[in-house]
């Protein structure tokens, strides 16, 4: 803890739902309506600002389904394809993160950019998370120093991607110190922040953060992770306007999720609303195979059909790239190219 002062977003975070009964009560639902798992090893965590966007009394609410621990997660993985397995760790580390680790907390898979795992913490626990089994606690903290040393020594790196967990879980002071280090590396040009915090705790976009990002000589990009148009509300819009005003480029990536956004109208509305908030749709990810999340999987042929329909209805710049991450590939790959469907 770098400061005894608690910012409003930190107070909001400590008020997040961490137990199912109060969340269900808030949503006017009965546990019996849902296949809930009361003692999942990946516990419930839902900020109130996110819960407030859910529809009361709807057990199929697409925002609720993203965060609700269900017994389905315990089912053994059916129908696994051998191409998704990278040895015995396939379902634990489906995208080869362990293999791509250059220093504790630093992953490099692609040319010119490296990903720094700044913290293991998140403001929300997403049931589909592909990193739910990654050993974050070991990657985070003071070992950032080794990742920074790696970046410093490789002049081919032009971009650093702050990831996690969620990098905006660091407070302004810790983030400022990290930026100081990155800004001192002459070959870096871009800073990219992947985060769900603006959606989960819009108050995280503090004046202090805005001032700090405004001062950075690096070109700043923020990728928010919205999966459904109803996540995009007025509080988020205000936070995004403030980021745009200081010149932060905004993009979105989503994960294609069965029962949540596997629908043309929903995906169209997501792109439309994002653009209305000055956010460019970037990626639509085909789900990574991870134990406990396979029930969210949309078959490849269906994913391609949805993407084709988006192309037929939207201007090209509102159609996110439909991709799958392949362990060992030199970029995220277009699904059309890598599927056998
Ligand atoms: C996804 C990812 C990136 C970013 O890829 P882009 O195509 O540039 O968005 C970078 N590094 C790692 C390790 C990744 O997993
Ligand atoms: S890393 Fe991202 S997807 Fe995973 S739980 Fe955290 S916020 Fe959700």
């Amino acid at each position: 803890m770098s400061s005894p002062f608690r910012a409003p977003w930190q107070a909001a975070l400590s008020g997040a739902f961490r137990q199912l009964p109060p969340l269900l009560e808030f949503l006017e639902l009965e546990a019996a309506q849902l296949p809930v798992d009361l003692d999942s090893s990946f516990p419930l965590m839902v900020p109130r600002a996110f819960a407030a966007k859910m529809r009361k009394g709807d057990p199929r609410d697409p925002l609720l389904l993203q965060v609700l621990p269900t017994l389905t997660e315990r089912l053994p993985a059916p129908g696994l394809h051998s191409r998704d397995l990278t040895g015995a760790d396939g379902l634990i580390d489906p995208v080869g993160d362990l293999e791509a680790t250059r220093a504790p907390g630093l992953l490099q898979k692609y040319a010119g950019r490296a990903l720094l795992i700044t913290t293991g913490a998140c403001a929300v626990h997403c049931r589909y998370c592909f990193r739910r089994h990654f050993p974050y606690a070991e990657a985070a903290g003071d070992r950032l120093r080794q990742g920074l040393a790696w970046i410093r020594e490789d002049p081919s790196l032009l971009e650093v991607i702050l990831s996690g967990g969620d990098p905006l879980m660091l407070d302004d002071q810790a983030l400022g110190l990290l930026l100081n280090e990155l800004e001192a590396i002459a070959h870096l040009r871009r800073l990219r922040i992947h985060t769900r915090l603006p959606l989960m705790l819009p108050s995280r976009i503090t004046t202090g953060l805005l001032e700090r990002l405004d001062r950075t000589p690096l070109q700043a990009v923020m990728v928010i992770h919205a999966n459904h148009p109803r996540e995009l509300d007025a509080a988020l819009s205000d936070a995004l306007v403030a980021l745009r005003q200081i010149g932060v480029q905004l993009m979105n990536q989503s994960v294609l999720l069965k029962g949540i956004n596997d629908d043309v109208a929903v995906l169209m509305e997501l792109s439309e609303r994002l653009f209305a908030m000055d956010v460019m749709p970037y990626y639509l990810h085909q789900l990574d195979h991870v134990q406990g999340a396979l029930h969210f999987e949309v078959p490849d042929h269906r994913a391609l059909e949805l993407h084709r329909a988006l192309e037929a209805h939207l201007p090209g710049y509102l159609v996110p790239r439909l991709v799958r991450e392949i362990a060992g590939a030199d970029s995220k790959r277009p699904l059309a190219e890598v599927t056998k469907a």
Side-chain angles (χ1 to χ4, degrees):
M1 293 296 109
S2 42
S3 155
F5 169 75
R6 256 196 348 170
W9 69 270
Q10 289 167 316
L13 181 65
S14 64
F17 289 105
R18 287 184 173 79
Q19 302 293 333
L20 212 41
L23 175 64
L24 295 181
E25 190 182 341
F26 173 78
L27 293 174
E28 298 166 14
L29 288 168
E30 305 283 337
Q33 290 175 268
L34 303 153
V36 290
D37 185 349
L38 288 164
D39 46 23
S40 167
S41 60
F42 186 53
L44 175 93
M45 164 102 110
V46 190
R48 282 171 190 269
F50 194 64
K53 302 184 214 189
M54 297 173 188
R55 255 192 315 252
K56 300 215 165 168
D58 181 1
R60 308 294 308 161
D61 180 85
L63 279 57
L64 174 63
L65 294 182
Q66 292 180 46
V67 297
L68 186 75
T70 61
L71 293 166
T72 339
E73 294 174 15
R74 293 180 181 237
L75 294 176
L80 276 177
H81 315 297
S82 58
R83 68 175 187 277
D84 301 310
L85 296 169
T86 51
D89 287 341
L91 283 178
I92 304 295
D93 179 30
V95 296
D97 278 359
L98 296 173
E99 186 70 16
T101 299
R102 302 284 170 251
L106 188 89
L107 305 183
Q108 190 186 359
K109 295 181 181 173
Y110 311 136
R113 53 221 197 269
L115 186 151
L116 202 52
I117 292 173
T118 51
T119 167
C122 295
V124 59
H125 287 171
C126 314
R127 307 320 300 179
Y128 57 84
C129 183
F130 75 98
R131 285 197 174 137
R132 55 192 283 167
H133 302 289
F134 198 71
Y136 283 120
E138 297 161 33
D142 134 284
R143 264 154 290 197
L144 270 179
R145 274 186 298 106
Q146 292 176 57
L148 287 166
W150 175 277
I151 297 167
R152 226 173 265 126
E153 282 156 28
D154 183 351
S156 76
L157 292 175
L158 304 183
E159 176 172 359
V160 167
I161 300 168
L162 303 187
S163 181
D166 197 308
L168 291 188
M169 289 293 279
L170 299 180
D171 64 18
D172 288 348
Q173 191 183 353
L175 210 54
L177 292 172
L178 177 56
L179 290 195
N180 293 347
E181 299 280 345
L182 293 171
E183 288 162 0
I185 303 175
H187 53 265
L188 285 182
R189 299 178 187 171
R190 289 185 297 280
L191 171 76
R192 193 196 314 180
I193 301 175
H194 276 255
T195 177
R196 292 204 91 191
L197 270 266
L199 290 166
M200 297 296 153
L201 299 168
S203 55
R204 176 66 193 91
I205 308 303
T206 59
T207 328
L209 176 65
L210 291 164
E211 282 168 2
R212 187 63 189 79
L213 288 176
D214 194 21
R215 268 197 292 123
T216 185
L218 298 167
Q219 262 195 301
V221 177
M222 189 175 284
V223 183
I224 64 168
H225 292 201
N227 296 315
H228 191 279
R230 264 205 293 113
E231 293 170 38
L232 310 172
D233 63 356
L236 171 71
S237 177
D238 292 347
L240 297 182
V241 166
L243 288 161
R244 286 292 300 134
Q245 275 168 350
I246 57 162
V248 176
Q249 298 273 345
L250 300 173
M251 299 191 227
N252 182 63
Q253 74 173 34
S254 315
V255 181
L256 186 58
L257 298 165
K258 186 154 114 192
I260 293 171
N261 61 9
D262 58 337
D263 178 274
V264 185
V266 167
L267 291 172
M268 282 176 64
E269 182 62 10
L270 177 60
S271 276
E272 289 284 354
R273 279 212 218 175
L274 284 167
F275 191 67
M277 293 185 184
D278 261 345
V279 183
M280 296 302 294
Y282 179 37
Y283 280 140
L284 176 61
H285 280 269
Q286 182 60 315
L287 188 76
D288 297 309
H289 286 166
V290 62
Q291 179 70 53
L294 299 167
H295 54 292
F296 286 122
E297 185 171 28
V298 176
D300 284 355
H301 68 88
R302 175 68 184 142
L304 289 165
E305 190 179 277
L306 286 164
H307 192 248
R308 187 72 197 85
L310 289 183
E311 288 176 328
H313 287 99
L314 291 171
Y317 60 88
L318 291 190
V319 181
R321 280 169 247 186
L322 175 64
V323 292
R324 157 166 281 149
E325 181 157 358
I326 305 280
D330 63 4
S331 71
K332 311 277 191 261
R333 303 309 303 153
L335 187 67
E337 187 184 291
V338 294
T339 185
K340 294 184 177 76

